Amino acid sequence: MGQRDCCDCDCDDCCNCSWTAIIIWVAIGIVLTVVLIVLILAFAVIKPPKATADDALLTRFSLSPSTNASTPQLQLLSYNATVTISLRNPNMYYGISYSDLATVFSFNGTKFDELGTVRAFDQGAKKTTAVRLTVGGVAKALPKLSAAGPAEFSKQKEAGTFQIEARLDGVMQYKGRSKKCPVAVICPLKLQLVDPDVAATAFQQTKCTILRAKTSGC
């Protein structure tokens, strides 16, 4: 009996059959691995939210000393600012619930507006929520501004750009989990003072920092 060129099996082309079977099983293994990875990412791995400042406008920002003779060193700030912050939930499965978020605006490490609040809201998986903040004040006293504050204000005014920080503070909770996590969204802003009656200068999107409690479930 003559010897076959490939191998001894019932298939007419047994070598091709073997390679085809191997390729099919390898493909099935790859698909199952990808599905497993997706399921792990969706259900087991919880990602923190992300945030960016997408738009901001500063139409008034002036600092002047108090006219009160008893407090000549007290600085008064007049301001009008609008900021849009986008909060994104990168998770594939878990939604996020946010409590009321307190808003704080600071200059040179000194808070000058902290009376605003963003109402509580729910955010679905892979969703983005835009939060618009508008603040303003006239001759607001800044008793905690450092002695170097006025000089820094003059320096930034001369440079044409003010460095302001917008911050959101509250509590977040992943849907389906009982842990409630303190969260802070900190957005450093570089803003040019513009005339509200003139077209505003373009604002460059800025990445915000998110601080969360370093505990399990947060």
Side-chain angles (χ1 to χ4, degrees), residues 20-31:
T20 300
I22 291 172
I23 292 173
I24 291 174
W25 282 110
V26 169
I28 292 174
I30 292 175
V31 171

Side-chain angles (χ1 to χ4, degrees), residues 29 74 77 100 154 168:
L74 183 64
L77 181 68
D100 290 349
S154 297
L168 302 174

